[in-house]
Amino acid sequence: TILGRTFFIYDCDPFTRQYYKEKFGISDLPRIDVSKKEPPPVKPELPPYNGYGLIEDSAQNCFVLIPKAPKKDVIKMLVNDNKVLRYLAALESPIPEDKGRRFVFSYFLASDMISIFEPPVRNSGIIGGKYLGRTKVLKPSSTTENPIYYGPTDFYIGAVIEVFGHRFVILDTDDYVLKYMESNAAQYSPEALLSIQNRVQKQEAPATELE
């Protein structure tokens, strides 16, 4: 202890070792290992998702002090610019007033985002308008660690889409969806392709009877 400070001697140089050997007969002066072992790396864990914004955007706030927007697939955005798939859907609800409500789903291929619009109906008591702004919608089976969003192959006539706790049933599509499904048939399930075939057959049925 020197001037109130405690020092721990753990090693010495060769001259000092030789001195102790010749002067005191001490030939063994072991060196004490004082190196600090690094603790095992701690795996960073993301805090629980609070439901605001997209999961990828929220996660960026935990990685860096000044968050950056997640990287976007620029090629995909350029190829699919202004390409929108539109569907007619009904709200699946036990409330009688909701059974007649209809919604238009718009799926934007460039960003994989969905918007929902409710056309106004006179004397229905419901104003209508924008129901959901553009955003990605998580599937009910996805988790914060493994987010799975709805894709275009999830939308077909008869499909049930759950949006933030509300269930919608796809009733119809526009002609552009039919062309898109025809061009990307390998990506769709047999059930989805069959629903479109039934829709086309119903459209052609009146023309066949007139002939």
Side-chain angles (χ1 to χ4, degrees):
T1 303
I2 303 175
L3 300 177
R5 297 177 179 273
T6 301
F7 296 85
F8 178 71
I9 298 176
Y10 65 92
D11 200 3
C12 61
D13 61 2
F15 177 82
T16 304
R17 292 180 186 275
Q18 187 65 26
Y19 175 81
Y20 271 84
K21 182 178 180 181
E22 295 175 355
K23 187 72 174 178
F24 303 104
I26 302 174
S27 59
D28 185 16
L29 287 176
R31 180 183 184 276
I32 300 175
D33 185 11
V34 294
S35 61
K36 294 183 179 180
K37 296 182 179 179
E38 294 185 1
V42 179
K43 183 180 179 181
E45 295 184 2
L46 294 177
Y49 177 55
N50 58 13
Y52 292 97
L54 299 178
I55 293 179
E56 292 84 354
D57 292 332
S58 299
Q60 290 297 319
N61 294 285
C62 305
F63 296 148
V64 292
L65 183 61
I66 302 178
K68 298 180 180 179
K71 293 183 179 179
K72 297 180 179 180
D73 191 340
V74 179
I75 302 299
K76 179 179 180 179
M77 294 177 65
L78 293 175
V79 172
N80 296 305
D81 188 32
N82 296 326
K83 293 182 179 179
V84 184
L85 306 177
R86 291 183 174 86
Y87 309 84
L88 178 66
L91 180 62
E92 192 178 78
S93 171
I95 302 175
E97 290 79 4
D98 290 338
K99 291 185 177 180
R101 298 175 67 180
R102 296 294 181 265
F103 299 83
V104 176
F105 276 63
S106 297
Y107 189 97
F108 299 87
L109 292 172
S111 60
D112 293 325
M113 290 188 175
I114 300 170
S115 69
I116 305 176
F117 178 81
E118 182 177 11
V121 179
R122 288 186 178 181
N123 303 323
S124 64
I126 300 174
I127 299 176
K130 182 188 293 185
Y131 185 85
L132 178 70
R134 290 192 190 188
T135 185
K136 290 184 177 181
V137 179
L138 288 168
K139 291 186 177 181
S141 58
S142 65
T143 61
T144 305
E145 296 77 16
N146 183 30
I148 303 175
Y149 297 99
Y150 279 108
T153 57
D154 297 310
F155 289 81
Y156 55 89
I157 297 176
V160 177
I161 307 297
E162 186 170 328
V163 181
F164 304 119
H166 299 279
R167 292 165 59 90
F168 297 84
V169 180
I170 304 298
L171 302 178
D172 202 356
T173 66
D174 63 4
D175 293 337
Y176 184 75
V177 174
L178 300 180
K179 296 178 181 178
Y180 179 83
M181 292 185 68
E182 183 180 1
S183 302
N184 301 272
Q187 301 178 11
Y188 285 86
S189 65
E191 181 183 6
L193 297 176
L194 181 61
S195 70
I196 297 300
Q197 291 177 0
N198 293 335
R199 185 220 190 235
V200 174
Q201 290 175 357
K202 288 181 180 179
Q203 286 184 329
E204 295 178 347
T208 304
E209 292 177 359
L210 290 175
E211 291 177 3

